[in-house]
């Protein structure tokens, strides 16, 4: 689509929506930026766009203008079943995601990473691998940097590494990465997708447009991912944390080996890595596989892997206070992520859990508590559900807290030298916090304040 003079409606005034509106305005579209927020609550960045000619539509859904548009772009947080969206599509208006918009303006190859857990770590690490050979690589998407914000600074010689959520794929039409990856699939976001079948289908869209000239990285040990090999036209590159592969990348004892298109050698020992846990070794293998498919030399990949210290808010060491280690895993926003965090800890755990209800069971998480978790401090609307789940497995050492600050203080009180305090809520942050980053920053700030007392 040529955008000059076209009427474009962008829904959502968070980062992605603002970036999409700015991009469309630069491309010559007549842009309206909409949000359910009232006028006095819109972000400053939206007001700046208004000064540049973008119209703001606030306080309600755009039912009265949706069908008048030539294009509607949805931010990831906008549910696709709202009535105005169906009405617009019935009237012939194209409705796409922000990622789809940015993709259509991209001239360089794309690596796209999805899955339930590990996306941010794998995306960050893959970005570092690509930057070693293509310094202007853009690391974008669900990682916190809108794709639309970076796309105009790219040339054919560059590369995009994108973290892709299921929400971003809902209205993707032609999105076609050269390299895709599906890291794992466990229940998540069922409050939006309703069924696992729909959730999985959204993840599979990341490779839907790939051809035999492309590559798809899949987790051999995840049954759902393994079945995806039969659904993609791309060349499949498996990774495994449990067994050797005839072709792929795998963990054996403490070493990671590569067998792929003439390569047959050890890549690295996990003892040389700075990140902990089998889940992180899987992230390392996936990132290395993507680097190999992009033509990056193994020696370059090794150097990046050795220097990589992990990402903020994902099993992030904060401090040791009075003999107690504190870890920030605020990005543990679902049960599978928090299971991985609990299993990575080598000491008795005082755990903070709870938050926004995404409509999933907590049983697989709470059944790990006996013998591992010393005390569970509960916050948020899911506290009663988590308590009931834990009690099914005989775990009763739990306390509810009204505020987050109270919860962190209680953890300090319960923990003894040789223990660890872990923030890994297994729930989204919405309701108590703006996002998981804010939750993690508040945790770190409070822990560090203990060092000053």
């Amino acid at each position: 689509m040529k955008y000059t003079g076209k009427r474009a409606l962008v829904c959502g005034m968070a980062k992605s929506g603002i970036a999409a509106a700015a991009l469309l305005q630069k491309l010559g579209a007549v842009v309206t930026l909409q949000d359910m927020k009232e006028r006095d609550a819109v972000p400053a960045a939206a007001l700046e766009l208004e000064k540049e000619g973008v119209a703001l539509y606030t306080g309600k859904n755009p039912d009265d203008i949706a069908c008048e548009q030539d294009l509607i772009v949805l931010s990831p947080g906008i549910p696709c079943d709202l009535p105005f969206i169906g009405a617009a599509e019935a009237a012939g208006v194209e409705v796409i995601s922000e990622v789809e918009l940015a993709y259509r303006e991209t001239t360089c190859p794309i690596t796209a990473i999805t899955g339930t857990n590990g996306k941010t770590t794998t995306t960050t690490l893959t970005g570092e691998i690509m930057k070693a050979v293509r310094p202007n690589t853009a690391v974008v998407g669900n990682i916190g940097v809108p794709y639309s914000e970076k796309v105009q600074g790219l040339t054919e010689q560059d590369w995009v590494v994108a973290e892709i959520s299921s929400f971003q794929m809902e209205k993707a039409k032609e999105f076609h990465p050269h390299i895709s990856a599906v890291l794992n699939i466990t229940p998540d976001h069922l409050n939006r997708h309703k069924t696992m079948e729909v959730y999985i289908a959204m993840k599979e869209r990341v490779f839907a447009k790939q051809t035999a000239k492309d590559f798809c990285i899949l987790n051999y040990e995840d049954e759902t991912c393994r079945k995806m090999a039969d659904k993609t036209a791309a060349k499949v590159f498996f990774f495994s944390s449990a067994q050797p592969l005839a072709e792929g990348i795998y963990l054996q004892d403490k070493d990671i080996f590569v067998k792929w298109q003439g390569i047959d050698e050890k890549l690295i020992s996990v003892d040389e890595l700075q990140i902990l846990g089998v889940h992180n070794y899987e992230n390392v293998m996936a990132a290395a596989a993507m680097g190999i498919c992009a033509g990056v030399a193994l020696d370059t990949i090794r150097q990046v892997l050795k220097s990589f210290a992990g990402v903020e808010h994902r099993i992030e060491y904060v401090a040791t206070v009075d003999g107690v280690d504190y870890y920030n895993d605020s990005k543990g926003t679902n049960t599978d992520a928090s299971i991985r965090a609990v299993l990575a800890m080598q000491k008795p755990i005082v755990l903070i859990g709870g938050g926004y209800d995404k409509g999933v069971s907590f049983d697989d998480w709470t059944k790990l508590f006996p013998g591992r978790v010393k005390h569970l401090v509960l916050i948020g609307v899911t506290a009663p559900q988590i308590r009931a789940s834990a009690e099914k497995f005989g775990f009763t050492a739990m306390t509810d807290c009204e505020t987050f600050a109270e919860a962190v203080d209680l953890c300090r009180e319960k923990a003894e030298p040789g223990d660890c305090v872990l923030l890994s809520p297994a729930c989204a942050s919405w309701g108590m916090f703006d996002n998981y980053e804010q939750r993690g920053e508040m945790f770190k700030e409070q822990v560090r304040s203990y060092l000053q007392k």
Side-chain angles (χ1 to χ4, degrees):
M1 175 186 283
K2 298 296 184 183
Y3 297 102
T4 302
K6 298 293 184 180
R7 294 164 297 180
L9 170 66
V10 178
C11 299
M13 290 188 190
K15 289 180 182 179
S16 294
I18 287 171
L23 175 60
L24 284 165
Q25 202 256 354
K26 290 174 184 175
L27 293 172
V30 179
V31 183
T32 300
L33 178 58
Q34 176 269 338
D35 198 281
M36 294 296 290
K37 297 183 184 72
E38 296 295 340
R39 169 83 188 191
D40 58 3
V42 303
L47 297 176
E48 289 300 314
L49 285 179
E50 185 179 40
K51 294 177 184 178
E52 298 174 16
V54 172
L56 300 187
Y57 186 108
T58 61
K60 60 180 180 177
N61 281 320
D63 301 86
D64 58 335
I65 63 169
C67 295
E68 302 171 1
Q69 307 300 313
D70 297 302
L71 176 70
I72 296 177
V73 178
L74 302 180
S75 297
I78 307 300
C80 293
D81 58 358
L82 295 174
F84 78 86
I85 296 173
E89 289 181 320
V93 180
E94 186 177 29
V95 181
I96 63 174
S97 66
E98 179 265 338
V99 160
E100 176 73 14
L101 171 69
Y103 164 74
R104 294 180 182 186
E105 295 300 307
T106 303
T107 57
C108 62
I110 300 166
T111 294
I113 297 140
T114 195
T116 305
N117 294 301
K119 295 188 296 297
T120 298
T121 298
T122 305
T123 300
T124 304
L125 179 51
T126 304
E128 292 303 305
I129 291 170
M130 293 309 304
K131 286 176 183 178
V133 294
R134 301 201 187 195
N136 199 41
T137 293
V139 181
V140 299
N142 197 54
I143 198 167
V145 179
Y147 191 172
S148 296
E149 184 179 300
K150 297 294 184 181
V151 67
Q152 287 196 308
L154 298 169
T155 71
E156 294 180 3
Q157 305 306 312
D158 298 321
W159 202 283
V160 169
V161 176
E163 177 182 332
I164 301 296
S165 72
S166 57
F167 294 177
Q168 291 168 317
M169 285 289 97
E170 283 182 310
K171 290 297 179 181
K173 305 287 181 67
E174 302 301 326
F175 184 70
H176 179 176
H178 177 49
I179 304 170
S180 68
V182 186
L183 305 178
N184 45 64
I185 297 290
T186 57
D188 199 15
H189 300 302
L190 298 187
N191 58 318
R192 174 145 162 180
H193 296 304
K194 311 304 181 189
T195 69
M196 278 299 294
E197 289 75 16
V198 172
Y199 176 58
I200 292 167
M202 293 304 104
K203 294 296 189 183
E204 291 174 342
R205 286 189 177 187
V206 77
F207 57 71
K209 295 296 182 179
Q210 287 190 291
T211 70
K213 296 180 181 179
D214 301 314
F215 300 94
C216 182
I217 317 302
L218 296 173
N219 185 346
Y220 190 82
E221 300 310 319
D222 185 298
E223 183 179 0
T224 303
C225 290
R226 189 164 65 246
K227 290 178 179 177
M228 291 178 185
D230 297 327
K231 300 180 181 182
T232 177
K235 172 66 175 174
V236 172
F237 194 144
F238 281 119
F239 65 91
S240 172
S241 59
Q243 59 189 297
L245 299 174
E247 185 178 53
I249 183 169
Y250 59 90
L251 176 66
Q252 186 172 30
D253 298 323
K254 289 191 172 184
D255 296 323
I256 294 173
F257 294 92
V258 180
K259 288 187 178 180
W260 176 259
Q261 297 186 348
I263 302 171
D264 186 357
E265 62 180 277
K266 172 183 168 181
L267 176 63
I268 199 167
S269 167
V270 298
D271 292 336
E272 298 175 87
L273 302 173
Q274 297 185 50
I275 50 179
L276 305 174
V278 172
H279 66 288
N280 271 325
Y281 306 152
E282 291 176 342
N283 297 336
V284 164
M285 289 188 286
M290 285 180 273
I292 292 167
C293 291
V296 182
L298 286 190
D299 282 345
T300 300
I301 294 173
R302 284 191 189 97
Q303 292 171 10
V304 175
L305 295 181
K306 289 178 182 179
S307 64
F308 184 68
V311 299
E312 192 176 18
H313 307 299
R314 192 70 182 103
I315 316 182
E316 175 191 9
Y317 170 74
V318 180
T320 299
V321 183
D322 299 328
V324 177
D325 296 337
Y326 288 77
Y327 288 90
N328 165 33
D329 190 52
S330 185
K331 204 173 189 310
T333 59
N334 58 60
T335 54
D336 191 59
S338 292
I339 285 169
R340 293 163 185 253
V342 167
L343 293 177
M345 297 295 104
Q346 301 300 310
K347 299 179 177 182
I349 305 166
V350 179
L351 176 65
I352 299 176
Y356 179 81
D357 186 3
K358 294 198 284 186
V360 300
S361 168
F362 294 101
D363 288 0
D364 285 345
W365 180 48
T366 59
K367 71 182 181 183
L368 298 175
F369 292 175
R372 289 186 176 92
V373 176
K374 184 174 182 177
H375 199 91
L376 174 63
V377 180
L378 291 166
I379 57 173
V381 297
T382 56
Q385 295 166 247
I386 296 171
R387 175 179 288 277
S389 176
E391 287 174 344
K392 286 194 291 186
F393 302 102
F395 185 86
T396 58
M398 295 176 276
T399 305
D400 289 13
C401 288
E402 290 294 324
T403 70
F404 187 67
E406 179 188 348
V408 181
D409 281 341
L410 182 62
C411 287
R412 186 185 186 193
E413 178 184 322
K414 294 290 185 181
E416 298 175 314
D419 295 344
C420 66
V421 171
L422 172 65
L423 167 66
S424 190
C427 299
S429 57
W430 309 314
M432 295 181 72
F433 308 92
D434 292 339
N435 47 52
Y436 74 82
E437 293 98 336
Q438 184 188 55
R439 179 170 62 187
E441 291 299 336
M442 290 178 66
F443 177 75
K444 292 193 289 183
E445 183 179 347
Q446 189 163 341
V447 169
R448 288 166 181 159
S449 74
Y450 298 153
L451 294 170
Q452 301 166 9
K453 296 179 180 178

